[in-house]
Amino acid sequence: MSNPDSTAVSFSSVSRVFGEVRAVDNVSFDVGEGEFFSMLGPSGSGKTTCLRLIAGFEQPDAGRILVHGRNVEGVPPYERDVNTVFQDYALFPHMTVYENVAYGLMIRKVPSAERRRRAEEMLEMVKLAGMGERKPSQLSGGQRQRVALARALINHPSVLLLDEPLGALDLKLREQMQDELKSLQRRVGITFIYVTHDQGEALAMSDRLAVFNHGRIEQIGAPGEIYEHPATAFVAGFVGVSNLCEGALAQRLAGSTRPFAIRPEKISMLPASGAAPDGAVTVLGKVSAATYLGSTTRFVVALEGGGELTVVRQNSGGSLSVTPGDGVRLCWSRALMQPLQGPAK
Amino acid sequence: MRSDGKPRASWSLRAAALAGMAFLHVPLFFIILYAFSVEEKSFVFPLPGLTTKWFAVAFQREDIRAALGLSVRVALMSTAIAIVLGTLAAAAVWRSRFFGRESISLLLILPIALPGIITGISLRSAYNLMDIPFSFWTIVIGHATFCIVVVYNNVLARLRRSAPGMIEASMDLGANGFQTFRYVILPHMATALLAGGMLAFALSFDEVIVTTFTAGQQTTLPIWMLSELVRPRERPVTNVVAVFVIAVTLVPILIAFYLTRDTHEAAGSGK
């Protein structure tokens, strides 16, 4: 870390083309030192290619990538101060857990006593103390994931790249590992760049996230910002659930044909005869479906004059009981509507 | 082997299996049995008597020793060539996608599918055309053609089974190309290489057909046995040598089988 610049990784107008496909298309972003930065998007959106560009497994066709202020063009992966936790973990099957973790140190010719000490420290940190002599094939998925993490972190990289590291784990373990990863990142203070297609994961863990679609970044921001103020229809639909309104429906509800998004949980449901608060947007409709989801219930409401909206309500008890066929009045504060760029999809 | 959870085989199936095993192994049993026969002119049954003197006789004979020496040297050299070329070919076919990749794969495997007589005749014509005199090396080249295949198959199967990210992971952790090969690829392939090498050695050691066309006046052990069958003199000596060949080829094959067991690899694929 010779450069005191507070930017860990910087992309300026980076493109990577595979044949006809622009996998990464003119992407620019900066990741701050010590930040937990997520790249979120559906498969094929270019997020993993961006990660591989940082690691050095791919070279950009255009644009410039800086890692701690240093242009990494042409620098091979083994000369970059960056380590990766691979999606399939890519542990070395013929080595023990200890040898796997110490591999980076062995390559850099760290004396064997120090190697062992640091590997044991690392294994302890990822809660695998005493597992050093096992082979990767004797570990569970979650344990392998931790070995991959320890193997990368032992080198004290300036940036740690994580490629869907929790993708192969079951839901409970995934949630537990999310918390562990987040607290580990705070403890070691290393910049994490995290690739995922799971919007919940990205929202829960990141300081900031970039939403990718078709090789481009649709929006970059803090989780709250992305969720509350999606910039495009894609972000509104991919991160959480949104009602997307455009054209005549938007005109009728908001007084303008400009498309907008409204989150289902922001919509209040009143009896048809009830009065909406002053200044609120309001519309009458008829419940066409109700789905009980445990903590919440999801209603689909067919609006008078066409169109429908999804409404989600907490099952906290005491509120209006609604069944399909009932007439209701929906209303929401104008400020909760999120105007979108471009057409709704 | 895996009878658990499956219905028991019917009696007729078992009988057929036993008959098949007998058909394959009874001749071997008689070869071994006649190595101990006191009758040296012809094979008679039952044996008039048992003796172990032929082992001593075989050990003393200069022609057997020379043939054995040639066979071992040829097998070692063919195996060495096969390990280098077979591994390189497997690595190329695995790592890169190039024009004609599938054809190269087929061409590599072809020598083992072709009748040995075709390989033999074509090599012999090639040697004649190029004015290459028969030597140790002409036999080695002939054997290498089919030895490469077993190494190639074993190594390729191992490579295909390995996590694709392993090499990238090694580079990511700071290892350059050579270190990655030394610490990750080579150890990962070690048992596949050993198994392939063992099989290649065994194949070369008992090869007759290709050798007939590429050896000229030289005599490898199998060729010696063939010539010995025509002129009956101390017949059990031939059987003693056969027992020896069985042992030398069976042991490597068993080791190769052991090294690649529990994997779905192509240890025995080929001949």
Side-chain angles (χ1 to χ4, degrees), chain A:
Chain A
M1 292 183 213
S2 52
N3 196 327
D5 195 342
S6 66
T7 305
V9 173
S10 163
F11 269 50
S12 25
S13 310
V14 172
S15 294
R16 177 76 176 104
V17 184
F18 297 115
E20 296 284 288
V21 184
R22 302 187 72 82
V24 174
D25 191 2
N26 196 23
V27 162
S28 302
F29 63 88
D30 290 315
V31 180
E33 182 79 62
E35 194 174 18
F36 197 124
F37 185 82
S38 291
M39 301 199 277
L40 172 68
S43 52
S45 60
K47 55 195 195 304
T48 295
T49 307
C50 278
L51 202 75
R52 293 173 58 82
L53 284 163
I54 304 171
F57 300 128
E58 302 282 350
Q59 296 294 331
D61 294 306
R64 203 180 49 168
I65 300 170
L66 304 181
V67 176
H68 282 278
R70 176 187 175 211
N71 188 346
V72 292
E73 191 180 344
V75 178
Y78 50 86
E79 283 171 17
R80 297 191 184 198
D81 186 17
V82 167
N83 286 123
T84 309
V85 176
F86 292 86
Q87 186 169 12
D88 59 358
Y89 315 144
L91 299 179
F92 306 127
H94 58 279
M95 296 184 194
T96 62
V97 166
Y98 162 75
E99 286 167 332
N100 264 284
V101 173
Y103 186 80
L105 301 182
M106 190 263 296
I107 292 297
R108 276 188 275 124
K109 303 194 166 57
V110 173
S112 104
E114 190 191 339
R115 224 149 72 194
R116 180 157 283 277
R117 185 182 58 76
R118 279 172 64 180
E120 263 156 22
E121 240 173 61
M122 238 347 120
L123 284 175
E124 199 153 322
M125 189 165 87
V126 298
K127 299 179 184 151
L128 284 178
M131 303 275 217
E133 298 309 318
R134 298 203 189 175
K135 286 280 177 73
S137 58
Q138 295 169 293
L139 300 181
S140 70
Q143 290 170 328
R144 282 181 215 185
Q145 207 279 326
R146 290 159 202 255
V147 175
L149 197 60
R151 183 177 70 171
L153 280 175
I154 200 168
N155 307 296
H156 298 310
S158 64
V159 179
L160 184 73
L161 308 174
L162 301 104
D163 187 6
E164 309 229 4
L166 308 183
L169 307 180
D170 61 56
L171 185 65
K172 260 277 185 294
L173 195 55
R174 199 153 67 211
E175 285 172 352
Q176 182 196 337
M177 284 302 293
Q178 282 176 16
D179 296 342
E180 281 185 26
L181 267 180
K182 185 69 197 148
S183 73
L184 185 70
Q185 193 260 342
R186 282 203 205 96
R187 247 185 0 248
V188 296
I190 291 173
T191 309
F192 275 35
I193 299 183
Y194 190 97
V195 161
T196 181
H197 65 265
D198 181 334
Q199 45 101 14
E201 206 166 278
L203 290 176
M205 301 171 76
S206 322
D207 294 324
R208 280 194 313 146
L209 59 144
V211 184
F212 278 76
N213 187 29
H214 294 305
R216 292 168 172 275
I217 293 182
E218 297 258 336
Q219 190 177 1
I220 301 184
E225 203 179 319
I226 299 269
Y227 187 82
E228 301 293 341
H229 304 292
T232 66
F234 176 79
V235 177
F238 191 76
V239 181
V241 180
S242 280
N243 290 296
L244 299 178
C245 306
E246 61 177 341
L249 182 62
Q251 174 73 52
R252 206 145 44 78
L253 295 175
S256 147
T257 55
R258 181 161 184 204
F260 72 90
I262 177 85
R263 297 287 183 191
E265 72 275 16
K266 311 279 192 204
I267 302 176
S268 314
M269 200 156 46
L270 306 171
S273 56
D278 280 351
V281 178
T282 177
V283 62
L284 284 168
K286 197 171 175 186
V287 175
S288 58
T291 311
Y292 178 74
L293 299 170
S295 63
T296 57
T297 303
R298 187 179 62 219
F299 301 92
V300 178
V301 179
L303 304 181
E304 262 178 20
E308 59 179 35
L309 288 175
T310 301
V311 180
V312 169
R313 212 170 60 168
Q314 287 289 325
N315 291 332
S316 48
S319 51
L320 176 69
S321 141
V322 181
T323 51
D326 290 354
V328 289
R329 175 180 291 282
L330 305 180
C331 64
W332 59 86
S333 152
R334 198 162 279 278
L336 296 172
M337 292 193 301
Q338 181 59 36
L340 303 172
Q341 299 158 8
K345 277 167 210 151

Side-chain angles (χ1 to χ4, degrees), chain B residues 137-157:
Chain B
W137 291 103
T138 54
I139 310 177
V140 167
I141 290 170
H143 286 195
T145 58
F146 52 81
C147 287
I148 286 174
V149 184
V150 287
V151 175
Y152 170 83
N153 275 346
N154 272 284
V155 172
L156 191 61

Side-chain angles (χ1 to χ4, degrees), chain B residues 159-253:
Chain B
L159 287 174
R160 288 206 168 129
R161 228 164 38 89
S162 58
M166 246 167 47
I167 291 172
E168 284 189 351
S170 170
M171 305 274 254
D172 188 70
L173 293 165
N176 59 29
F178 175 75
Q179 287 167 318
T180 299
F181 180 76
R182 162 82 183 73
Y183 294 114
V184 175
I185 302 174
L186 201 57
H188 182 63
M189 292 193 322
T191 51
L193 275 179
L194 198 56
M198 294 274 180
L199 288 168
F201 184 91
L203 277 184
S204 165
F205 193 77
D206 68 357
E207 216 291 331
V208 178
I209 305 169
V210 175
T211 320
T212 314
F213 287 93
T214 56
Q217 295 304 310
Q218 305 164 90
T219 307
T220 61
L221 208 55
I223 300 275
W224 176 89
M225 287 170 70
L226 202 58
S227 63
E228 205 65 7
L229 288 178
V230 225
R231 44 193 178 100
R233 179 173 65 98
E234 296 185 315
R235 270 209 149 138
V237 171
T238 320
N239 289 62
V240 167
V241 174
V243 170
F244 182 72
V245 171
I246 290 173
V248 168
T249 52
L250 195 61
V251 169
I253 287 171

